[in-house]
Amino acid sequence: MAEISQGRKEWELEEAKLKERPKKFVSVSSVPIKSLYTPEDVEDLDYSRELGYPGCYPYTRGIQANMYRGRLWTMRQFAGFATAKESNGRYKYLLNQGQTGLSVAFDMPTIMGYDSDHPRALGEVGRVGVAIDSLEDMMTLFEGIPLDKITTSMTINAPAAVIWAMYLATAEKQGVPFFKLGGTIQNDILKEYIAQKSWIFPPEPSMRLITDIFAFAGQHVPRWNTVSVSGYHIREAGSTAVQELAFTLADGFAYVEAGIKAGLNVDDFAPRISFFFNAHIDFFEEIAKYRAARRIWACRMRDKYGARDPRSMLLRFHTQTAGCSLTAQQPENNIVRTAFEAMAAVLGGTQSLHTNSMDEVLALPTEKAVRIALRTQQIIAEETGVINTIDPLAGSYFVEALTNQMEAEAEKYFQRIEELGGVLAAIDKGFFQQEIADAAYHYQQEIEKKERIIVGVNEYQQNEPMQVELLRISPQVEEEQKKRLQAVREKRDNLACQNGLERLRLAAGTRDNLVPHILACAKAYATEGEIIQVLREVFGEYKEKPVF
């Protein structure tokens, strides 16, 4: 090391003679980046303790021993718009184009637990995702798609138990037993309070619903990922990479603690906790984030929560390229941004990937735009050669130093959250919200001062008219969906439906697991809005304290 140090001093003398561009060399998160990294930056790195081999504790280099040489990541484009029938057509198109998993985007009324004919749904039905009101819609959504042959991810949180119940009931209608079902419900209510803001119930009953799902899935749907702890939305709200890493893992630890508090064995539910991260534009920072996340999770699960099953220590994650990095100006540039972000996700060892379409900053993607986005993943997988070896950036002085730095900064946040009384107390005090807001403001200031260049936005602008085809949702969609909903209410057994809702109401006031009751309501064609309304009357609604 002495020889390296001497060499470094000589190099610094040479570098000092050269003029450096008047630019701040920082990451997207404003972390200063040194001009050169050497063995001195990782001299304390213990390979066996901190890196290890792929598929081995602490999984820094990946969760499988052979990674993509054995199986590629799941190509899972997030899709859904208008009605269940139209979204079903898009799913079949994507599967025919080589997509390997489904990912359902719901409209805002569904996300907020309102039926399509609720006054608060006016103008929103089918606009940003598919409208799902009842089991009939769910059956239409997956018509002709065998649920035992495909895994499905559903981005739903506050009403996750209801939507999941409709999916389980759909599987039964297809003759698929629960134990054959694979997929994910996002079901991450904590990041809703922190960042995305689509909550319904207060935190306590929301956490109860999640631990009820842990228990039910453990017994009946063992291949199902019961929560996808989501940093994606925290990042999209404006956080830095370190904040995304720290807040997401802190949420994950909170779910583990809730499961243990509910009387569950950690190894009975932790293996089905998965994660969902953002892939932003800073290539190396993102890769370091994923590597640090795996290491932190493995260490905490083993050493703090007493997990003994290695599957409880594996941090499996889906990645979506950064929607917030896309620009309305020169939208074709978004294809390039997405390709780099997707490459970072792959080099970081993701298990599943969504690549954003170039037009998503303007509208839901057209068929052409989403095909290009899917082809981006396929080109990375089939043509670039980056999958030929596992974790190819390991040993890079820069990447290893950045991974260590990410871990150290995240640990500082864990300490602050603990001092505030934990995640729920920190939410109540507005800690996460303030930290993210401050980071977002700082980032925007950098853009406005041109300290950070965004191509086509604050530099290299063009004054040519934009020529991008957009997907437009017909206003007729809402009226048609209301008619279908009314037809369901007219033809179902309304007495059986009301009895199911009443049993759910009674159970909500006890400690009974609510999932069987919600499933019974879904099978009786109770609508999402009706089921949620019963729970809303028992649990109440969450009101956020203002923090600004």
Side-chain angles (χ1 to χ4, degrees):
M1 196 60 74
E3 184 179 347
I4 292 173
S5 297
Q6 179 58 37
R8 180 185 184 91
K9 290 175 184 174
E10 294 173 5
W11 167 78
E12 286 173 344
L13 291 174
E14 291 300 313
E15 189 204 27
K17 298 175 185 174
L18 302 174
K19 188 176 180 182
E20 203 165 68
R21 286 185 292 127
K23 177 180 175 8
K24 290 170 66 177
F25 292 93
V26 297
S27 72
V28 162
S29 301
S30 295
V31 174
I33 303 298
K34 298 196 293 187
S35 57
L36 186 71
Y37 288 78
T38 74
E40 293 174 297
D41 294 290
V42 290
E43 62 179 332
D44 295 327
L45 187 70
D46 183 325
Y47 183 88
S48 297
R49 185 173 56 83
E50 297 176 272
L51 296 182
Y53 287 91
C56 299
Y57 185 88
Y59 307 102
T60 310
R61 302 199 63 186
I63 65 164
Q64 288 120 4
N66 61 354
M67 288 301 286
Y68 306 133
R69 290 173 70 106
R71 180 180 179 275
L72 290 174
W73 62 91
T74 302
M75 299 182 189
R76 196 189 297 280
Q77 296 297 103
F78 184 48
F81 63 96
T83 64
K85 184 177 181 180
E86 289 177 83
S87 293
N88 175 268
R90 175 63 66 87
Y91 296 159
K92 289 175 177 172
Y93 172 80
L94 287 167
L95 291 170
N96 287 333
Q97 295 299 314
Q99 176 171 285
T100 51
L102 296 175
S103 182
V104 183
F106 298 96
D107 70 0
M108 283 308 297
T110 305
I111 289 171
M112 299 304 294
Y114 293 113
D115 287 337
S116 294
D117 58 355
H118 192 281
R120 291 190 176 182
L122 183 64
E124 292 292 339
V125 177
R127 291 284 175 177
V128 298
V130 61
I132 298 294
D133 290 317
S134 72
L135 172 58
E136 183 160 298
D137 288 331
M138 192 66 88
M139 290 165 58
T140 302
L141 190 65
F142 293 102
E143 187 175 352
I145 300 174
L147 298 185
D148 56 343
K149 301 287 191 294
I150 194 85
T151 59
T152 304
S153 175
M154 294 187 282
T155 302
I156 194 79
N157 294 284
V162 179
I163 294 298
W164 188 47
M166 290 181 182
Y167 187 87
L168 296 178
T170 299
E172 275 195 348
K173 294 280 187 183
Q174 287 192 7
V176 178
F178 291 170
F179 72 85
K180 287 190 175 181
L181 292 176
T184 306
I185 41 172
Q186 195 164 83
N187 199 24
D188 177 8
I189 199 62
L190 293 175
K191 62 91 179 173
E192 295 294 341
Y193 301 125
I194 291 172
Q196 201 176 23
K197 313 291 183 182
S198 55
W199 57 68
I200 299 175
F201 314 118
E204 289 295 333
S206 293
M207 294 296 276
R208 171 191 170 180
L209 283 167
I210 291 169
T211 55
D212 282 356
I213 290 172
F214 285 171
F216 185 87
Q219 292 184 7
H220 304 286
V221 204
R223 293 178 54 211
W224 196 270
N225 295 320
T226 49
V227 60
S228 174
V229 192
S230 302
Y232 186 84
H233 307 91
I234 290 171
R235 192 66 179 280
E236 292 287 296
S239 81
T240 65
V242 166
Q243 288 170 346
E244 179 194 354
L245 172 66
F247 299 170
T248 306
L249 292 186
D251 287 350
F253 300 143
Y255 292 128
V256 170
E257 290 167 9
I260 294 171
K261 187 178 177 184
L264 303 175
N265 183 308
V266 66
D267 286 324
D268 287 343
F269 68 88
R272 303 316 306 178
I273 295 176
S274 62
F275 289 81
F276 174 18
F277 286 116
N278 196 294
H280 214 288
I281 195 67
D282 193 307
F283 195 70
F284 294 105
E285 186 172 63
E286 296 304 296
I287 293 167
K289 179 182 73 182
Y290 307 130
R291 301 173 86 251
R294 278 192 295 267
R295 186 159 71 204
I296 295 169
W297 182 255
C299 294
R300 286 288 176 112
M301 291 305 294
R302 188 188 72 171
D303 300 337
K304 181 170 181 178
Y305 298 113
R308 292 296 173 262
D309 186 339
R311 297 176 304 155
S312 300
M313 306 172 203
L314 295 181
L315 186 143
R316 299 169 296 119
F317 69 100
H318 170 73
T319 309
Q320 181 171 340
T321 54
C324 62
S325 73
L326 306 186
T327 65
Q329 300 90 338
Q330 303 176 37
E332 294 89 346
N333 295 345
N334 296 330
I335 298 173
V336 183
R337 293 188 177 100
T338 295
F340 288 131
E341 292 166 359
M343 182 75 90
V346 171
L347 290 175
T350 192
Q351 277 65 64
S352 169
L353 179 60
H354 166 102
T355 33
N356 287 326
S357 302
M358 64 175 170
D359 54 357
E360 285 193 62
V361 71
L362 301 163
L364 293 178
T366 62
E367 203 167 85
K368 178 181 178 181
V370 75
R371 185 177 67 246
I372 292 171
L374 177 59
R375 294 285 183 262
T376 301
Q377 293 195 47
Q378 292 163 339
I379 289 169
I380 291 173
E382 305 290 352
E383 300 184 24
T384 64
V386 299
I387 65 163
N388 290 341
T389 192
I390 304 165
D391 191 24
L393 294 177
S396 155
Y397 307 127
F398 177 40
V399 169
E400 297 300 357
L402 202 52
T403 300
N404 292 345
Q405 187 176 355
M406 282 274 181
E407 182 178 9
E409 294 299 319
E411 290 290 345
K412 292 178 184 174
Y413 266 122
F414 298 150
Q415 181 64 36
R416 291 176 68 183
I417 293 166
E418 190 172 328
E419 289 169 357
L420 289 168
V423 170
L424 290 180
I427 289 171
D428 190 56
K429 292 170 182 170
F431 169 73
F432 300 108
Q433 300 92 315
Q434 188 69 61
E435 287 290 302
I436 294 170
D438 289 346
Y441 177 76
H442 179 73
Y443 182 80
Q444 186 61 32
Q445 287 285 299
E446 288 183 332
I447 294 173
E448 292 180 9
K449 293 175 183 174
K450 286 196 174 186
E451 294 172 355
R452 183 175 301 283
I453 300 300
I454 308 296
V455 174
V457 176
N458 61 359
E459 196 64 275
Y460 313 110
Q461 297 101 327
Q462 286 178 237
N463 293 318
E464 299 173 1
M466 184 173 60
Q467 295 181 338
V468 175
E469 178 191 359
L470 296 181
L471 175 67
R472 301 186 189 279
I473 308 299
S474 166
Q476 289 301 315
V477 165
E478 187 163 326
E479 293 308 312
E480 292 170 6
Q481 181 65 17
K482 287 179 181 177
K483 289 178 184 175
R484 274 190 293 275
L485 175 58
Q486 185 59 32
V488 168
R489 289 189 180 126
E490 289 174 359
K491 71 181 182 184
R492 71 187 179 187
D493 182 339
N494 275 300
L495 180 60
C497 180
Q498 289 305 316
N499 287 340
L501 290 170
E502 191 54 34
R503 283 192 287 272
L504 173 62
R505 184 192 306 278
L506 293 173
T510 70
R511 281 303 307 159
D512 278 5
N513 189 313
L514 294 180
V515 174
H517 298 285
I518 294 171
L519 181 57
C521 290
K523 289 180 181 179
Y525 291 87
T527 67
E528 185 208 24
E530 291 167 340
I531 298 170
I532 291 295
Q533 182 58 29
V534 165
L535 296 177
R536 191 182 274 124
E537 289 168 8
V538 177
F539 295 152
E541 289 188 331
Y542 178 66
K543 304 291 184 188
E544 185 180 44
K545 294 180 182 176
V547 294
F548 303 109

